[in-house]
Amino acid sequence: MAKKNKNEMSFLDHLEDLRWLLVRSSAAIIIMALVTYFFSDFIFDDIIFGPTDANFITYRFFCEVAQILGITGDICVKELPFTIQNTSMEGQINVFVWTCITAGFILAFPYILYELWRFISPALYEKEKKNAIIFIFVSSILFFLGVLFGYLIIVPLSINFVATFSVSSVVKNEFNLDSYIGMIKTSVIAAGLFFELPIIIYFLTKLGLVGPDFLRKYRKYAIVIVLIVAAIVTPPDVVSQITVAIPMLLIYEASIWISALVEKNRKKNEQSSSRI
């Protein structure tokens, strides 16, 4: 039986395509999760629990920057006074499984983008379909940069803040394993997806749902939100807050530039069509 033309597909046919997209993407995540199983010791000891060490690269970097700038205060991390404990029988098993799945999702992200592109490509022009490799490459790079930003900046600064914060010397910080892992997963995945904002804005502008004027209008609100987020996830020092806020603001500004470029090209194409 011949395959239906995409333009002739019914709503149920599109749902079937979406179902297979989810099936193939889930299979890719599971396969990559199984791969991470063989590197679980490195993932947990060196990556997951790396930020619990006062000699972690981020802490040393901020300490060196503070010394160069002549900033005084408790920026240099000497110790992280907390312990991580497991309080449920199946706690470590659940953490192990879901950490491997999360790592599998991160590693399989380029393939998930490929499947997503296959799903939406019928709605695009032929010229745009040829940009599949560029789309997957740029989107993957942005996602991985976001993951690194979340892991190297947001996670250690958050850990340092909550580890050194205390309402009283009587209270000792003993963090639950699920809480610790959850914070890392949320920070890393959220940062990775946030770095996809320029790509999302590109498609929303193509659909006419947003434009550069809209983004510029709400820029001041975006700045306030970014500063609030930076203040929440970082210790109360200006250097840390600026380090978190600047990349996020640059991503927003890049989204405005991309939206303006897409709108300019669309208007140019419309003018060319009207002359014919």
Side-chain angles (χ1 to χ4, degrees):
M1 182 177 179
K3 185 176 177 63
K4 291 183 180 180
N5 187 289
K6 287 289 185 178
N7 295 327
E8 300 174 355
M9 292 176 65
S10 66
F11 176 72
L12 292 178
D13 292 327
H14 286 295
L15 283 181
E16 180 68 9
D17 276 359
L18 179 60
R19 183 175 75 87
W20 280 107
L21 180 154
L22 296 175
V23 169
R24 289 190 291 266
S25 298
S26 298
I29 293 173
I30 292 174
I31 291 172
M32 297 311 298
L34 292 175
V35 171
T36 62
Y37 167 80
F38 298 100
F39 303 93
S40 58
D41 290 341
F42 171 76
I43 290 174
F44 279 96
D45 294 339
D46 296 319
I47 297 180
I48 300 295
F49 297 114
T52 64
D53 187 352
N55 291 319
F56 188 65
I57 182 173
T58 302
Y59 305 136
R60 290 188 280 109
F61 172 77
F62 276 100
C63 182
E64 292 174 2
V65 171
Q67 291 175 351
I68 293 173
L69 297 177
I71 299 175
T72 59
D74 298 328
I75 294 181
C76 294
V77 177
K78 299 179 178 61
E79 65 173 336
L80 295 169
F82 72 93
T83 58
I84 300 174
Q85 59 179 348
N86 175 51
T87 57
S88 60
M89 292 182 62
E90 72 283 0
Q92 295 198 53
I93 297 176
N94 290 337
V95 163
F96 181 86
V97 171
W98 283 106
T99 299
C100 287
I101 291 176
T102 302
F105 170 77
I106 294 173
L107 294 176
F109 193 77
Y111 178 78
I112 296 173
L113 288 174
Y114 168 72
E115 288 292 339
L116 182 61
W117 180 267
R118 287 182 58 191
F119 182 72
I120 65 175
S121 60
L124 303 175
Y125 296 110
E126 281 300 323
K127 183 179 179 181
E128 294 171 330
K129 292 179 183 179
K130 297 177 181 178
N131 296 329
I133 296 178
I134 297 176
F135 165 77
I136 296 172
F137 177 77
V138 173
S139 299
S140 299
I141 291 297
L142 287 174
F143 178 76
F144 290 135
L145 286 175
V147 168
L148 288 175
F149 177 74
Y151 175 70
L152 293 175
I153 302 298
I154 295 179
V155 168
L157 293 180
S158 300
I159 291 175
N160 180 34
F161 177 66
V162 297
T164 56
F165 180 84
S166 177
V167 294
S168 171
S169 59
V170 176
V171 182
K172 304 299 180 183
N173 285 325
E174 296 180 352
F175 301 140
N176 185 274
L177 178 62
D178 288 336
S179 176
Y180 176 82
I181 298 294
M183 184 272 296
I184 291 181
K185 289 192 295 185
T186 301
S187 300
V188 167
I189 297 298
L193 295 178
F194 178 80
F195 271 55
E196 293 294 303
L197 183 61
I199 304 298
I200 296 172
I201 292 298
Y202 171 84
F203 285 104
L204 291 178
T205 305
K206 293 285 291 185
L207 295 172
L209 298 178
V210 299
D213 293 336
F214 174 85
L215 296 174
R216 292 189 187 102
K217 178 181 178 181
Y218 290 96
R219 177 193 278 129
K220 56 185 177 183
Y221 300 108
I223 293 174
V224 172
I225 293 174
V226 166
L227 292 177
I228 291 175
V229 171
I232 292 175
V233 302
T234 61
D237 66 83
V238 178
V239 175
S240 300
Q241 293 171 6
I242 291 177
T243 303
V244 172
I246 287 180
M248 298 174 72
L249 292 175
L250 289 177
I251 289 293
Y252 189 84
E253 291 298 323
S255 300
I256 296 177
W257 178 78
I258 290 174
S259 181
L261 184 62
V262 171
E263 190 171 83
K264 180 181 178 181
N265 290 336
R266 186 176 64 208
K267 290 180 179 179
K268 184 178 179 180
N269 292 333
E270 290 175 353
Q271 290 175 359
S272 299
S273 301
S274 62
R275 293 172 184 172
I276 298 176

